[in-house]
Amino acid sequence: PHGTAHHGAGPGHGTGPDHGTGAVVVVAAALLDRGRLLAARRSAPADLAGRWELPGGKVEPGERPEDALVRELREELGVEAEPGERIPGEWPLKPGYVLRVWSARLLSGDPLPLEDHDELRWLAPGELDAVDWLDQDRPAVAEAARRLFGA
Ligand code: 523
């Protein structure tokens, strides 16, 4: 999450624009392994710390969203993952930022909270309400669960 685009780059400047609205696209993974979904607890910033999210980050200029997803999972969790289907929908974050979600399959590595997180949990389909998701992630998690778990 510490690429060149992140220093002083505001919405629509430098960081991967959404072709259409000008919003910055934040990609996140519904990362699956053995039928469970990974939830990650944010350690920063203060207003988000302690809440749980689908891991991901901002798309950099010229970067494909799927590539951004792979990069973020490598940086933040130390794993290799393969993006799958896009979860239909787009969820507003702070002004000028939108969240888009892809399913992803764990290829190798055991996720560790290397950056941005202080705890990780693999959730079985019946456990999705067990963590305090960020408000903006809730509808994305629900849609991902519907599609991936038939929940
Ligand atoms: N969210 C969010 N949910 C969610 C993600 C991956 C991100 O609400 N599942 C928000 C949190 C931030 C913004 O989107 O307001 C950017 O996410 P962040 O900080 O994880 O993106 P990075 O890692 O690209 O950003 P830097 O650490 O600043 O480089």
Side-chain angles (χ1 to χ4, degrees), residues 1 4 22 25-26 30 33 39 48-49 55-56 58-60 68 76 80-81 85 102 105 107 113 117 129 140 142 150:
T4 52
V25 176
V26 175
D33 187 45
L48 305 183
K58 296 191 277 286
V59 178
E60 293 188 348
E76 296 185 355
E80 294 303 317
E85 62 176 299
W102 270 257
R105 186 170 68 92
L107 292 180
H117 304 111
D129 293 330

Side-chain angles (χ1 to χ4, degrees), residues 1-2 6 26-28 42 48 53-58 72 76 93-94 97 99 116 134 136-137:
H2 301 291
H6 302 107
V26 175
V27 293
R42 288 193 70 104
L48 305 183
E53 70 174 8
L54 299 175
K58 296 191 277 286
E72 292 284 351
E76 296 185 355
L93 302 173
K94 57 192 173 185
Y97 289 77
L99 179 66
D116 297 345
L134 286 167
Q136 56 269 31
D137 279 51

Side-chain angles (χ1 to χ4, degrees), residues 10-89:
H13 302 280
T15 309
D18 166 28
H19 306 287
T21 69
V24 173
V25 176
V26 175
V27 293
L31 182 64
L32 292 176
D33 187 45
R34 299 175 218 180
R36 294 178 305 164
L37 174 75
L38 190 73
R41 191 171 69 183
R42 288 193 70 104
S43 52
D47 57 323
L48 305 183
R51 308 285 299 280
W52 295 74
E53 70 174 8
L54 299 175
K58 296 191 277 286
V59 178
E60 293 188 348
E63 192 178 34
R64 293 169 55 238
E66 290 94 335
D67 293 337
L69 194 70
V70 168
R71 174 180 55 73
E72 292 284 351
L73 297 178
R74 192 179 286 145
E75 290 174 356
E76 296 185 355
L77 306 173
V79 299
E80 294 303 317
E82 178 181 58
E85 62 176 299
R86 164 116 183 253
I87 305 301

Side-chain angles (χ1 to χ4, degrees), residues 113-151:
L114 301 177
E115 276 184 3
D116 297 345
H117 304 111
D118 61 8
E119 195 177 334
L120 303 175
R121 248 184 100 168
W122 287 107
L123 302 174
E127 296 176 328
L128 296 176
D129 293 330
V131 300
D132 186 20
W133 295 103
L134 286 167
D135 293 339
Q136 56 269 31
D137 279 51
R138 277 176 204 279
V141 171
E143 185 59 31
R146 212 164 14 246
R147 298 190 68 90
L148 303 173
F149 293 146

